[in-house]
């Protein structure tokens, strides 16, 4: 982040807090002119600092009562198995995040489901059908204490 000055960092903080802020509002907040502020935002987008804008939804209100963390371990790590796994993960909307890990498990998935029956169906119909999986370990979240995708900018 050495390429970013204080103003760029502040813009990123403001947009993480509220992605709907207009460049005019950001400019006003930072005591900038609107056009240079808009240019900075466009540059941050073009350089990949800002990847996307989205609304953060309440998962329970939209019907996802179960949050699970799944550790997958593979027997095989060949190119085809890995490619097939990655394609399945990218196509599966109920998988929110997937990380290739060090340690006991090869992958850690964050999965949402409507209820435990729905989660069980996900395990049976998706994960157990993957070739090369030697272990599936699930942990169900009992209480969400903090959930954020905001990065600490300063």
């Amino acid at each position: 982040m050495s390429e970013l000055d204080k103003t760029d960092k502040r813009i990123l903080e403001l947009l993480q807090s509220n992605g709907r802020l207009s460049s005019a509002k950001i400019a006003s907040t930072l005591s900038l002119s609107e056009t240079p502020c808009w240019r900075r935002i466009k540059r941050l987008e073009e350089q990949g600092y800002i990847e996307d804008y989205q609304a953060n939804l309440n998962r329970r209100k939209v019907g996802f009562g179960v949050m699970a963390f799944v550790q997958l371990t593979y027997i095989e790590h060949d190119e085809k198995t890995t490619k097939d796994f990655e394609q399945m993960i990218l196509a599966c909307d109920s998988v929110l995040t997937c990380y290739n890990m060090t340690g006991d498990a090869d992958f850690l998935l964050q999965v949402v489901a409507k209820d435990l029956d729905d989660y069980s169906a996900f395990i049976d119909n998706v994960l157990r059908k993957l070739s090369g999986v030697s272990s599936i370990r699930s942990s169900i979240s009992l209480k969400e204490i903090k959930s954020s995708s905001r990065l600490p900018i300063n």
Side-chain angles (χ1 to χ4, degrees):
M1 282 203 351
S2 59
E3 299 174 21
L4 300 178
D5 63 17
K6 286 188 333 184
T7 303
D8 289 336
K9 290 177 182 178
R10 187 69 180 120
I11 289 170
L12 293 175
E13 286 178 328
L14 290 168
L15 285 172
Q16 276 194 122
S17 297
N18 182 356
R20 295 178 68 179
L21 285 176
S22 66
S23 56
K25 180 64 176 167
I26 294 169
S28 172
T29 301
L30 299 178
S31 301
L32 295 172
S33 299
E34 189 173 339
T35 301
C37 182
W38 178 84
R39 283 190 192 121
R40 281 178 177 263
I41 293 169
K42 289 298 166 200
R43 180 178 46 79
L44 291 168
E45 291 171 349
E46 290 167 2
Q47 291 179 347
Y49 288 97
I50 299 170
E51 292 181 340
D52 196 8
Y53 294 91
Q54 68 182 19
N56 296 316
L57 307 179
N58 181 314
R59 70 174 170 86
R60 286 186 174 89
K61 288 195 180 261
V62 295
F64 296 103
V66 172
M67 173 74 71
F69 297 89
V70 184
Q71 295 179 357
L72 287 179
T73 306
Y74 268 80
I75 296 169
E76 306 168 22
H77 294 89
D78 62 86
E79 188 175 334
K80 181 183 180 344
T81 302
T82 302
K83 185 177 178 182
D84 291 348
F85 171 76
E86 290 176 0
Q87 287 177 344
M88 183 282 302
I89 290 299
L90 291 171
C92 189
D93 291 337
S94 60
V95 176
L96 300 182
T97 61
C98 176
Y99 299 96
N100 187 210
M101 306 293 290
T102 63
D104 293 335
D106 294 312
F107 295 96
L108 177 66
L109 285 64
Q110 183 181 16
V111 178
V112 291
K114 294 176 184 174
D115 52 32
L116 289 176
D117 290 335
D118 186 39
Y119 180 66
S120 179
F122 168 77
I123 295 292
D124 290 339
N125 299 326
V126 178
L127 296 184
R128 287 200 175 130
K129 295 198 178 200
L130 292 169
S131 63
V133 173
S134 64
S135 172
I136 300 171
R137 288 186 302 260
S138 296
S139 297
I140 305 293
S141 171
L142 299 175
K143 179 180 179 184
E144 193 170 284
I145 296 168
K146 181 178 181 179
S147 176
S148 177
S149 61
R150 294 180 187 167
L151 299 172
I153 301 301
N154 286 324

